[in-house]
Amino acid sequence: MTNPAGVEVTGPMRERFHEVLTPEALTFLAELHRTFDARRRDLLAKRTEREAELAAGGTLDFLEETRHIREGDWRVADPAPGLEDRRVEITGPTDAKMAINALNSGAKVWLADHEDANTPLWENVIAGQLNLRDAIERKLSFTSPEGKRYALKDGELATIVVRPRGWHLTEKHILVDGERMSGSLVDFGLYFFHCAKLQLERGSGPYFYLPKMESHLEARLWNDVFVLAQERLGIPGGTIRATVLVETYPAAFEMEEILYELREHSAGLNAGRWDYIFSAIKKFRTRGKDFLLPDRNSVTMTAPFMRAYTELLVRTCHKRGAHAIGGMAAFIPNRRDPEVNEAALEKVRADKTREANDGFDGSWVAHPDLVPICREVFDGVLGEAPNQRDKTRDEISVTAAQLLDVKDTPGEMTETGLRNAVSVGIQYLAAWLRGSGAVAIFNLMEDAATAEISRSQVWQWLHNDVTLADSREKVTRELIDRITAEEIAKLGDDPSGYDEARALFMEVAVADDFADFLTLPAYERMP
């Protein structure tokens, strides 16, 4: 196979990879790169500029220059086929077993994740594309090493919505004119090129979840990508639909503008709660006690700044005719511990009940066993209606001060919380480096977002002279080193097996310079 001029594939060509990396598909990727990558890099530079402004004492607010959009009379496109009813969505990576379980789960939507729940090993990136195409054609199957066979069920499967990597990530195994491609454009481009028409033939369409955006200008870039892609494949404009995860602090102040930029292609907004907490820490990490958060497990959706964020999201979406999708229930049922299960499932039920009563049109779960609970709760509110977009929440008015009210979050900073952050961070990174991006730890499904909270809290507490409420010890590098050694010893494995994960965790959790995303240095350690 001869690659197009200027395109180099440096990753190994495993079995069937040639079905994805065709000359035609690579030509399409090259056009996306040459047309849009300079804008992508400019927008990433704007993120850095804004972060410097915040570090210098600036703040976040609704944009005066886009007031006309917020005050204008416009609506997004009506829901596309398969996206009218989204009362329960399940997330997970695109390996064959997880894909089959998600599609068979009874959820309305499967978020097929090439981002936070996926490790971007070359094999995962390309095999995931094969699995998606095989699933659409109902050819996907899997047999475990123990001989258990997994296959797609007859009848209705969950609607596939693909989450590509964020704008900040690159793909080092595909070079165009000597430059790495954007991971976003690789994941989007390969899926769209191979699967868009297959989905349309089956009465669905090419649908996406867009992560980690920080401004409406980044949404405008995605919209321009969609327009070009549809033109090149001869697909009508507006066929692509995208749901945006509002999971960065700056994006909360530009929700309407983000919907507006994507309005022909918009399928709504999602409350990406874990990354949102991480972003709140990251953006104001040097601003002292007013932005210090307590233990991660104490930061619930009823905290004032989180409540303001979700109320604004529902109000914004329904004002513009868009879906509002709730946050993740990350609990993993433990069939050996009924008491733990019962208490955790009650919390899941309460969380989903709050979302349904607040006006959300659906919500996320991380495990098939949670689908019935989420469905039951939303069935009780929606009944036979596919959504509640008509619940406009006109009484809601959220101010910038309410979104920024981190200081009133209940809870304490404790040694227990510090130990949890260190242990989760190191266990997750060890699994990530081995190729697993969704990892069950302490009965929770951890992904890159929750690992980001863990390491950013350690950094923030260390660099803001925090004294822990339970032990009365000040957070120092020496304390973190001691706790790290103790927590690794508790894992019962050979401690040397965590050497690389420990080194990486220390790089992103205690160094003076704060890494924007832990996945950036982690990716460079990966073949």
Side-chain angles (χ1 to χ4, degrees), residues 288-310:
K289 62 182 177 59
D290 283 350
F291 289 94
L292 281 172
L293 280 171
D295 295 357
R296 165 192 149 186
N297 293 332
S298 299
V299 184
T300 69
M301 298 308 292
T302 59
F305 84 108
M306 297 299 287
R307 185 75 179 145
Y309 150 69
T310 55

Side-chain angles (χ1 to χ4, degrees), residues 473-486:
E473 288 189 88
K474 183 179 176 181
V475 179
T476 63
R477 174 62 191 265
E478 291 73 26
L479 176 63
I480 294 168
D481 284 340
R482 173 169 64 81
I483 286 176
T484 298
E486 292 170 357

Side-chain angles (χ1 to χ4, degrees), residues 373-392:
I373 293 176
C374 187
R375 179 187 283 272
E376 178 188 334
V377 169
F378 276 88
D379 284 350
V381 172
L382 298 179
E384 296 298 317
N387 53 64
Q388 51 183 339
R389 290 182 300 136
D390 58 346
K391 188 174 183 177
T392 55

Side-chain angles (χ1 to χ4, degrees), residues 19-22 25 133 189-198:
E19 297 177 29
V20 173
L21 300 166
T22 64
R133 193 176 70 180
L190 291 176
Y191 178 73
F192 185 78
F193 186 85
H194 291 293
C195 297
K197 290 182 178 178
L198 289 177

Side-chain angles (χ1 to χ4, degrees), residues 79-342:
L83 294 179
E84 299 93 342
D85 187 334
R86 304 175 62 177
R87 67 188 67 202
V88 54
E89 303 190 351
I90 190 167
T91 74
T94 53
D95 62 276
K97 178 184 172 182
M98 296 285 276
I100 292 166
N101 286 342
L103 289 165
N104 288 347
S105 67
K108 291 290 186 179
V109 166
W110 170 41
L111 184 152
D113 201 1
H114 277 255
E115 204 231 4
D116 272 0
N118 179 64
T119 298
L121 279 173
W122 175 242
E123 287 75 8
N124 290 351
V125 170
I126 305 304
Q129 295 286 345
L130 285 165
N131 291 336
L132 287 168
R133 193 176 70 180
D134 286 350
I136 294 166
E137 295 179 330
R138 291 194 176 246
K139 298 190 301 188
L140 185 62
S141 64
F142 174 73
T143 301
S144 72
E146 300 77 26
K148 184 176 180 180
R149 178 172 166 76
Y150 297 80
L152 297 173
K153 68 181 182 181
D154 294 330
E156 183 181 356
L157 302 175
T159 298
I160 295 173
V161 180
V162 174
R163 177 161 67 168
R165 282 168 280 182
W167 283 131
H168 59 289
L169 293 167
T170 59
E171 176 49 65
K172 60 186 174 185
H173 299 100
I174 301 180
L175 308 179
V176 177
D177 304 328
E179 298 176 331
R180 288 184 182 184
M181 274 203 67
S182 155
S184 301
L185 295 179
V186 169
D187 297 340
F188 163 79
L190 291 176
Y191 178 73
F192 185 78
F193 186 85
H194 291 293
C195 297
K197 290 182 178 178
L198 289 177
Q199 289 283 38
L200 291 170
E201 290 167 2
R202 287 155 178 79
S204 185
Y207 305 144
F208 299 91
Y209 255 111
L210 304 180
K212 304 288 190 294
M213 285 195 285
E214 296 196 8
S215 76
H216 69 286
L217 297 179
E218 295 181 22
R220 182 181 298 172
L221 175 57
W222 267 119
N223 198 71
D224 290 347
V225 170
F226 295 163
V227 170
L228 183 146
Q230 289 166 152
E231 289 175 353
R232 289 296 174 270
L233 266 67
I235 291 174
T239 298
I240 294 173
R241 294 302 169 85
T243 306
V244 172
L245 290 120
V246 179
E247 56 183 354
T248 70
Y249 222 8
F253 295 84
E254 300 184 36
M255 291 188 199
E256 289 203 64
E257 293 89 335
I258 287 169
L259 285 177
Y260 181 81
E261 294 294 343
L262 287 160
R263 58 196 181 278
E264 182 185 31
H265 300 108
S266 179
L269 303 176
N270 170 279
R273 60 176 68 170
W274 306 125
D275 263 306
Y276 189 76
I277 294 170
F278 160 56
S279 183
I281 298 169
K282 177 167 73 169
K283 295 302 180 187
F284 289 92
R285 65 186 181 273
T286 62
R287 298 288 292 276
K289 62 182 177 59
D290 283 350
F291 289 94
L292 281 172
L293 280 171
D295 295 357
R296 165 192 149 186
N297 293 332
S298 299
V299 184
T300 69
M301 298 308 292
T302 59
F305 84 108
M306 297 299 287
R307 185 75 179 145
Y309 150 69
T310 55
E311 293 266 73
L312 179 61
L313 191 145
V314 173
R315 169 76 178 105
T316 300
C317 286
H318 289 182
K319 175 183 176 183
R320 301 304 182 182
H323 278 90
I325 307 299
M328 170 73 83
F331 175 65
I332 302 299
N334 183 340
R335 295 179 174 91
R336 295 187 299 273
D337 196 334
E339 288 188 17
V340 169
N341 271 3
E342 185 175 351

